Amino acid sequence: MNRFVAPLLAVGMGVLAACTPTPPVSQPTRAAPMDSSLPAMRTFGTPIRMPLTRSNMSITQDFLDLAFKMESGRALPVFTRFEGPITVRVAGQYNDQMVSDLLKLTRRMQTEAGVNIFVNNAPNAAITVEAVPRSELNRVVPGAACFVVPRVSGWQEFLAMRRTPAVDWATVTTREKATVFVPSDVAPQEIRDCLHEELAQAIGPLNDLYRLSDSIFNDDNMHAVLTSFDMLVLRAFYSPELRSGMSRQQVAEVLPGLLARLNPAGERGTASRTSSTSRDWIDLMEYALSSSNGLAQRQQVSERAINLTRAFGWNDIREGFANFVYGRLNVTNNPQAAYAAFLAADHAYRADPGARVQRAHVAVQLAAYTLSHGRDQETLAIANEAIPIATAYENASLLATLMMFKAEALENLGYRGEAQQVRLDSLGWARYGFGSEQNIRTRLQEVERLDPS
């Protein structure tokens, strides 16, 4: 479940750069002249708990597939977790914001998931969170933005052991030690997103499932922070009914009663009939998402993935994601086809009540298209619908970009004072979502240059 560097999926929109040349960074924008200072960085407060959308019968199958398989499809022989309190320390080139986000995350794990985890910075802590320059991470694990490794307590120990069975999760029977590696020199949100995904994997599921709309345990990277579903999974992981070493059958026998206790509302539904995701489709998506492959080949492969979803009858978020990827890959050479794909993705995502954040990601693409075609009322409507979703799911880079679109539409419709205020508000979120001033101003320029006016 390593979070990969995938420009196609980054909220930093390749679609904008693809639609129009990127101006020099030194060029001022009407939103924020280069000699002005940016507002203070904004961060999110108390998380909004989203209602669970599936029955306990469905969650039982999800839990088993998450806990007893690797992403590669390789089966794990036994259930594993940390037994006893989980201590955490930070190391490497970390900063205050990273520590603040880590403390907020561990508090959520304590209160929402009941996990006995806390930061104490003891040298012998069970989990080390080490911040390493991105270039160094990519040199050792190409393409990975962040990842977690068992049985090591830091970067140097990992380098010494990385080609040995010691760092193979399939050989673990009880978790005792692990290290989460995050990039030290990227935007605060990217570090936070890595903390959520990789710390959750360090203590919980080792697999991702493309069928999960309301979970960070999904390789589509749409969710930035742990969801209510993820917290339920972690609460079940650390419930007294389970222990390290249990077989899949033993866990399956315990889960119905366990979930009934933890999530009584989930007893009212029935199991959804979602088929497993074929390895062929996963391979196609991985090829299409890899920037190391040629664009023409990636476009063809993404179209094959769409056709495969239709052949399997997957009228769910997998259909949405395949169309989303196809649209992103074709936005330059065939914008009409890309727009149609984004509409198809939006339609697929709207059918799933758990796929709200996915719709917000698609909204960025739709707003880019409508703004570039002078359809300001549509742009405003798209942004207004998606902004509360981006806020609820704590995605600052997505939120800031949508607000920039809204500001452009308002400006064109004659609401200049409101437009300027929305732009100003977007910059505080952009500080957290995009990091450097250069990145923020480049984003503003990209959005503005889409505007035909």
Side-chain angles (χ1 to χ4, degrees), residues 81 83 114 235-243 246 254 258 261-262:
R81 69 180 188 186
E83 301 293 343
R235 182 174 286 276
F237 243 80
Y238 285 86
S239 295
E241 291 93 329
L242 300 182
R243 64 186 183 280
M246 294 178 72
V254 170
L258 171 56
R261 176 173 67 81
L262 298 180

Side-chain angles (χ1 to χ4, degrees), residues 203-222:
I203 68 172
L206 297 170
N207 192 15
D208 282 346
L209 298 173
Y210 272 110
R211 69 175 186 256
L212 299 181
S213 62
D214 54 353
S215 175
I216 206 170
F217 301 117
N218 187 325
D219 268 332
D220 64 7
N221 282 356
M222 294 289 194

Side-chain angles (χ1 to χ4, degrees), residues 243-275:
R243 64 186 183 280
S244 293
M246 294 178 72
S247 68
R248 183 183 177 107
Q249 181 60 36
Q250 288 173 318
V251 173
E253 291 171 357
V254 170
L255 274 179
L258 171 56
L259 290 174
R261 176 173 67 81
L262 298 180
N263 183 39
E267 292 295 288
R268 292 192 289 268
T270 58
S272 59
R273 297 183 178 180
T274 303
S275 60

